[in-house]
């Protein structure tokens, strides 16, 4: 059943958040202006001061509730989602799946661009679910809520909403889930669009001779794991140990999440060149108020457990038509590597915008999504 939902955090929760921010015990810092050792202290203090003194959650909550929110019970899980119908004469059903450490807010700027009708009267019916364990979706209470299971849940959600076939887009975890949707439900998923090649493929050396670009890509992947991938290793192995601290300290939570926005986005050394404090803190407050940082981090653990199982994950080339929009992301895959895995029918490279392209460059991404899916 599709149940209307309103976002609401109590004043008691907000007062507790401010009290914890006021009681933050700050660490000492050796010069870290380049953020290479982690989150810069001066910026974090500035952000937390704004969170305490100026950030208006009620205003952000009101904005979030201008979208149509629902929940559904799917395969034993409560799934929260935004469902906005297209305003054109003809609308294409489209599932948008977010990643980490963002949430459904990744797509808020994208939704009105896609639900609007183009010159041909074509628009999109947009469904934006919160991944289980993220935001206002339920927290998993048993092992096994891995990307494969999530893909099954989202396919069932789309069917419940009356869409026997649909298009799908995603980035970060969203790209992994979108790929698995197409692999597991080829009759439902008509085409997919990705902003990155799912990271799991960095750990698989494909058969046959590699091009120079492919060799460089795999080598960059190894280097990135060593320099930037410590968070993923912790979350893949001991997420619960990490979870206690992040769930108890808003400043600690902010440090953990904001570093990724700083390191993964396309900006000239100023994070607020691409995100406002209100945008960053809306995402953070959702994590804090729902107490989902541990359940979100645990998805890495569930994926690691699934990859360690004796069952072989197929890497056969996917027949489903695929479009790829590459921004200035973490490790950009070359097209020839992507074509080993996907039926690439559209490939676009952008010279601006980073990992959170839907937030950083929504018009560019919306245009690429619209062009690709409309052509099909």
């Amino acid at each position: 059943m599709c149940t209307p939902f309103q976002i609401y955090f109590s004043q008691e929760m907000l007062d507790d958040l401010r009290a914890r921010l006021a009681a933050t015990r700050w660490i000492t810092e050796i010069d870290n202006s380049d953020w290479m050792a982690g989150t810069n202290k001066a910026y974090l203090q500035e952000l937390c001061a704004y969170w305490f003194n100026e950030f208006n959650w009620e205003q952000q909550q009101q904005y979030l509730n201008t979208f149509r929110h629902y929940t559904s019970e799917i395969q034993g899980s409560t799934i929260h989602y935004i469902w906005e119908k297209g305003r054109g004469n003809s609308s294409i059903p489209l599932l948008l799946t977010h990643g980490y450490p963002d949430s459904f807010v990744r797509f808020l700027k994208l939704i009105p661009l896609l639900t609007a009708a183009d010159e041909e009267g074509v628009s999109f019916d947009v469904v934006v679910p919160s991944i289980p364990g993220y935001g206002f979706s339920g927290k998993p209470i048993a092992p096994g809520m891995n990307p494969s299971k999530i893909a099954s849940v989202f396919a069932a959600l789309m069917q419940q909403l009356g869409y026997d076939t649909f298009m799908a887009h995603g980035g970060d975890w969203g790209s992994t889930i979108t790929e698995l949707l197409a692999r597991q439900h080829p009759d439902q998923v008509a085409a997919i669009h990705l902003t990155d090649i799912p990271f799991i493929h960095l750990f698989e050396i494909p058969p046959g001779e590699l091009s120079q670009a492919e060799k460089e890509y795999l080598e960059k992947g190894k280097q990135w794991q060593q320099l930037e991938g410590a968070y993923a290793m912790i979350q893949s192995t001991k997420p619960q140990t990490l979870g206690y601290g992040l769930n108890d300290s808003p400043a600690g939570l902010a440090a953990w999440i904001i570093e990724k926005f700083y390191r993964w986005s396309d900006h000239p050394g100023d994070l607020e060149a691409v995100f406002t404090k209100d945008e960053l803190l809306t995402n953070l407050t959702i994590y804090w108020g729902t107490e989902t940082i541990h359940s979100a981090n645990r998805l890495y653990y569930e994926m690691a457990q699934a990859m360690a199982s004796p069952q072989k994950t197929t890497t056969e080339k996917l027949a489903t038509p695929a479009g790829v929009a590459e921004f200035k992301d973490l490790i950009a895959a070359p097209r020839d590597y992507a074509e080993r895995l996907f039926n690439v029918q559209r490939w676009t490279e952008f010279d601006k915008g980073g990992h959170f392209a839907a937030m950083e460059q929504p018009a560019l991404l919306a245009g690429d999504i619209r062009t690709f899916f409309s052509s099909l």
Side-chain angles (χ1 to χ4, degrees):
M1 179 181 293
C2 179
T3 305
F5 177 80
Q6 285 277 302
I7 292 173
Y8 173 75
F9 286 149
S10 70
Q11 189 60 48
E12 181 183 10
M13 189 283 289
L14 296 171
D15 290 343
D16 176 69
L17 167 60
R18 294 182 78 250
R20 289 169 185 262
L21 285 168
T24 300
R25 299 197 306 175
W26 294 100
I27 63 170
T28 58
E29 181 184 55
I30 299 172
D31 179 45
N32 185 39
S33 58
D34 59 3
W35 293 60
M36 287 303 294
T39 303
N40 174 266
K41 180 181 176 181
Y43 182 76
L44 183 61
Q45 287 181 315
E46 178 186 326
L47 184 68
C48 286
Y50 184 90
W51 205 358
F52 180 88
N53 292 307
E54 300 179 57
F55 179 68
N56 188 330
W57 167 254
E58 289 81 2
Q59 186 179 72
Q60 298 304 317
Q61 182 172 265
Q62 185 177 13
Y63 165 63
L64 294 175
N65 282 324
T66 62
F67 296 90
R68 292 178 174 86
H69 296 260
Y70 302 89
T71 60
S72 287
E73 297 299 316
I74 307 288
Q75 298 177 7
S77 298
T78 300
I79 302 300
H80 158 261
Y81 53 98
I82 291 174
W83 184 18
E84 292 284 346
K85 296 287 189 71
R87 300 191 297 276
N89 299 324
S90 174
S91 285
I92 300 168
L94 175 59
L95 177 73
L96 304 177
T97 305
H98 67 83
Y100 178 89
D102 54 277
S103 58
F104 68 90
V105 300
R106 171 188 280 236
F107 294 119
L108 297 183
K109 295 176 183 176
L110 209 59
I111 292 171
L113 299 176
L114 293 174
T115 54
D118 65 11
E119 294 178 354
E120 304 298 324
V122 177
S123 60
F124 293 86
D125 284 358
V126 178
V127 180
V128 184
S130 293
I131 293 172
Y134 285 68
F136 298 97
S137 283
K139 302 181 185 74
I141 58 174
M145 187 57 79
N146 54 48
S148 179
K149 171 66 173 173
I150 294 167
S152 175
V153 169
F154 285 178
L157 171 64
M158 293 300 281
Q159 197 158 45
Q160 185 186 96
L161 298 182
Y163 301 122
D164 292 330
T165 59
F166 59 92
M167 310 290 194
H169 161 84
D172 193 86
W173 278 122
S175 64
T176 298
I177 293 165
T178 298
E179 176 187 355
L180 291 169
L181 266 165
R183 290 191 181 278
Q184 296 170 194
H185 304 277
D187 294 337
Q188 283 182 261
V189 182
I192 63 172
H193 186 274
L194 310 173
T195 52
D196 52 75
I197 302 306
F199 77 97
I200 57 172
H201 298 301
L202 275 170
F203 304 103
E204 304 164 348
I205 305 300
E209 186 174 349
L210 297 176
S211 68
Q212 185 60 34
E214 289 176 304
K215 291 176 183 177
E216 290 174 1
Y217 166 63
L218 293 172
E219 183 58 34
K220 285 180 182 177
K222 292 178 184 177
Q223 294 173 4
W224 189 90
Q225 263 314 98
Q226 291 294 317
L227 295 173
E228 301 284 348
Y231 82 98
M233 292 300 295
I234 293 173
Q235 292 171 193
S236 296
T237 56
K238 298 293 183 289
Q240 190 152 329
T241 303
L242 175 67
Y244 295 113
L246 299 187
N247 194 60
D248 195 56
S249 167
L253 175 68
W256 194 256
I257 287 179
I258 293 303
E259 186 223 332
K260 304 311 172 199
F261 277 83
Y262 184 91
R263 300 294 296 174
W264 298 354
S265 303
D266 179 29
H267 58 80
D270 176 11
L271 183 58
E272 291 179 27
V274 286
F275 305 108
T276 66
K277 283 187 174 74
D278 284 342
E279 286 179 301
L280 296 170
L281 290 172
T282 295
N283 184 60
L284 275 168
T285 305
I286 289 170
Y287 272 92
W288 179 261
T290 58
E291 298 187 45
T292 49
I293 187 59
H294 168 56
S295 52
N297 288 350
R298 188 183 166 90
L299 182 54
Y300 286 78
Y301 181 83
E302 295 292 352
M303 184 65 180
Q305 298 301 302
M307 291 176 69
S309 71
Q311 295 180 346
K312 187 180 186 302
T313 302
T314 180
T315 53
E316 294 179 358
K317 186 169 182 175
L318 185 63
T320 305
V324 179
E326 280 213 336
F327 291 82
K328 296 169 71 176
D329 210 337
L330 313 181
I331 314 156
R335 180 168 183 167
D336 45 357
Y337 191 83
E339 288 182 336
R340 292 177 181 270
L341 303 161
F342 299 100
N343 175 15
V344 178
Q345 296 193 11
R346 180 177 175 83
W347 181 272
T348 314
E349 296 181 12
F350 294 98
D351 61 4
K352 59 182 177 179
H355 188 69
F356 306 99
M359 299 176 74
E360 298 174 60
Q361 298 293 337
L364 292 179
L365 180 57
D368 202 70
I369 289 173
R370 185 182 287 277
T371 299
F372 175 57
F373 286 140
S374 296
S375 71
L376 300 174

